[in-house]
Amino acid sequence: MSLPPSYLPAGGPDPDGASAGKRTYGPDFLTALFQNPLDPGYQDAAARRATEGRRRGWRRSLAGGSSALTLVVIGFLLVVAYRQTVAEEPARTVARDSLISQVQKRREETDRLREQADRLGDEVAALRDRALGGAALAELRDLEAVTGMSRVRGSGARITLVDGPTSVDAVTGERRTEGQVKDTDLQLAANALWESGAEAIMINGQRLTATSRIRQAGEAILVDIRPVASPYEVVAIGPEDLADDFRAGYAGQFFDTLSGRYGISFKAAEVKDVTLEAATEFQLRSAAPSVAPAPPGSASSSGPGSPAPGSSTEGGR
């Protein structure tokens, strides 16, 4: 692209700027830039220094004084910042030590209350076993084993999942988490084990029940609000071929794919004589009708504002 004639200097382009002392760009900007890379301002300063010499007298003293004053101000600011940091450090240390002490005390209190709850639970179980007997007690223990309220022991399978390598995106600088085990992976493993005939399942020491939740919180995985970390061990009690069925099923094939693609370690092995502890903080939920049913044969007792028979008030409908 060429410039209009009105924008070109007389006599054509002058890339070296020798005619007017200034750089004049011709149509080929890159060629002119390589021919004269020195900026005109630097060139004028060098020429003025060669003609007039270095600054002397009051100008040189003024420049030196300005530099010295700048260094003094910077040093003063650094000293003030250092003294302030040193002065605030004891308060920070005291606050940090206080928080650490509070956390340790709360943890010790929690452990003491947990031990007390376990001891009271054992006493309640002993009193219950003494009151019940025979078939009722055996049926109750079977129900507790199925629901996760009691310790169980037997043989089954152990599924081990380990996070793969974590890389950093070279463009954005973000950590790539494709190689990390997700909550959905643990959900898939647990569901596949239940489907293969597992009678009890535990993930990193957390027993699963009918109300258990496996959720993701950032990069952490929570099992019933308790964090679990890699390596993830899903232990299940069930049939002798539980591990083989899991490995050959859809879940095993899925984890094999993750292992080959993202480096996630996957292993399914048979276990003998393993013990699964009872679920902690197990809470039962019950429901009750909001309106008492009318006696048989009586007229409808629905008053003003009461739902009509067969209607539903769930969700405001």
Side-chain angles (χ1 to χ4, degrees):
M1 178 179 179
S2 60
L3 296 175
S6 58
Y7 289 90
L8 295 177
D14 185 10
D16 296 331
S19 61
K22 297 183 180 179
R23 180 181 302 178
T24 304
Y25 298 103
D28 193 349
F29 174 76
L30 292 178
T31 302
L33 182 63
F34 282 107
Q35 288 178 352
N36 185 19
L38 185 62
D39 188 87
Y42 290 103
Q43 187 173 2
D44 294 341
R48 184 170 58 254
R49 176 174 294 182
T51 303
E52 301 176 0
R54 295 183 178 272
R55 289 181 295 183
R56 297 179 180 179
W58 65 271
R59 290 189 302 172
R60 183 173 183 179
S61 300
L62 180 61
S66 301
S67 301
L69 180 62
T70 302
L71 294 177
V72 169
V73 172
I74 294 176
F76 177 75
L77 293 178
L78 292 176
V79 170
V80 171
Y82 174 77
R83 291 176 62 88
Q84 185 175 1
T85 302
V86 172
E88 294 178 354
E89 184 61 26
R92 296 177 182 175
T93 303
V94 171
R96 182 171 60 251
D97 294 342
S98 176
L99 291 176
I100 294 175
S101 177
Q102 292 180 15
V103 170
Q104 292 177 350
K105 290 181 179 179
R106 296 293 178 86
R107 187 174 299 170
E108 293 174 358
E109 182 69 14
T110 301
D111 295 339
R112 186 185 65 80
L113 293 176
R114 184 179 294 112
E115 293 176 358
Q116 182 179 0
D118 294 340
R119 185 172 62 255
L120 294 176
D122 294 338
E123 294 179 3
V124 170
L127 294 174
R128 181 199 59 196
D129 295 344
R130 192 180 307 167
L132 297 176
L137 181 59
E139 183 180 359
L140 179 60
R141 289 180 175 176
D142 292 340
L143 292 176
E144 287 180 342
V146 173
T147 56
M149 296 182 64
S150 65
R151 179 187 305 173
V152 293
R153 181 178 179 182
S155 301
R158 175 183 284 111
I159 312 302
T160 305
L161 298 172
V162 183
D163 289 337
T166 301
S167 59
V168 179
D169 194 298
V171 178
T172 62
E174 296 180 356
R175 294 176 64 250
R176 307 184 64 176
T177 60
E178 294 88 348
Q180 294 184 353
V181 178
K182 308 295 184 182
D183 57 339
T184 53
D185 301 332
L186 297 182
Q187 293 174 10
L188 176 65
N191 291 333
L193 289 172
W194 289 125
E195 186 177 350
S196 299
E199 300 175 1
I201 299 177
M202 181 174 64
I203 299 179
N204 283 31
Q206 300 298 320
R207 181 79 174 273
L208 298 186
T209 65
T211 60
S212 294
R213 300 172 301 277
I214 304 175
R215 291 291 182 266
Q216 191 95 15
E219 294 186 3
I221 298 179
L222 305 180
V223 178
D224 287 337
I225 319 180
R226 293 180 177 270
V228 294
S230 178
Y232 303 95
E233 289 190 353
V234 185
V235 182
I237 293 179
E240 295 181 357
D241 55 352
L242 183 60
D244 296 335
D245 292 344
F246 183 91
R247 192 182 301 106
Y250 64 92
Q253 297 177 4
F254 175 76
F255 291 130
D256 283 335
T257 303
L258 292 183
S259 178
R261 184 173 300 177
Y262 301 114
I264 293 178
S265 177
F266 161 63
K267 181 180 180 181
E270 181 181 357
V271 292
K272 296 289 187 179
D273 194 20
V274 64
T275 300
L276 305 186
E277 298 294 335
T280 57
E281 300 180 1
F282 185 76
Q283 297 179 355
L284 296 179
R285 298 175 176 85
S286 59
S290 58
V291 179
S298 63
S300 176
S301 59
S302 300
S306 301
S311 65
S312 173
T313 60
E314 182 181 358
R317 295 188 297 275

